[in-house]
Amino acid sequence: MAELHFKSAPNGVEMYHVGDQVEVLCDHDKNGNRVHDWLVGTVVQVDIKMIAVQFQENVYLTDGWMVPDHVLWCPKNSNNIRIAKRRKRRASVSREPGFVLF
């Protein structure tokens, strides 16, 4: 097995973990058109320098090729990846008296 050599000890704090929802700035399909925009995906692997993000939609490499497994690898320190913003849904409010939604 290969040995890893460090100039200093790696810090134990990881910004990304498997299962995290992240946004990646990439080329993907949106409403039938290819766009370059932020797309939400799930972190599926984390290593020393890179993370792998899997998407539900088709994603494309810079040169235009579609990625068949929907997984893009990104450097951890890239400006093209960020933690996904959580969107809150408004609770439904019933207009009928005595009727409560749970």
Side-chain angles (χ1 to χ4, degrees):
M1 188 165 172
E3 292 183 31
L4 299 175
H5 301 280
F6 297 97
K7 292 183 180 181
S8 61
N11 61 5
V13 180
E14 288 287 342
M15 184 169 180
Y16 303 105
H17 302 281
V18 173
D20 287 351
Q21 294 290 305
V22 295
E23 293 178 322
V24 178
L25 184 60
C26 62
D27 292 342
H28 62 278
D29 290 332
K30 185 176 184 178
N31 300 326
N33 297 316
R34 189 179 301 185
V35 296
H36 185 76
D37 197 9
W38 293 98
L39 181 63
V40 176
T42 304
V43 175
V44 292
Q45 188 172 339
V46 179
D47 69 18
I48 295 170
K49 295 182 180 179
M50 307 278 285
I51 67 168
V53 181
Q54 187 170 33
F55 303 93
Q56 296 295 320
E57 294 80 10
N58 290 333
V59 290
Y60 300 89
L61 300 175
T62 306
D63 59 3
W65 288 90
M66 187 179 77
V67 180
D69 59 1
H70 300 224
V71 175
L72 290 179
W73 284 85
C74 306
K76 288 182 181 179
N77 61 354
S78 174
N79 292 331
N80 295 330
I81 188 166
R82 64 187 183 196
I83 299 294
K85 298 176 184 173
R86 303 230 184 247
R87 293 181 175 94
K88 295 182 180 180
R89 295 183 183 177
R90 293 189 328 184
S92 298
V93 177
S94 172
R95 298 183 190 265
E96 297 180 30
F99 184 76
V100 180
L101 294 176
F102 291 97

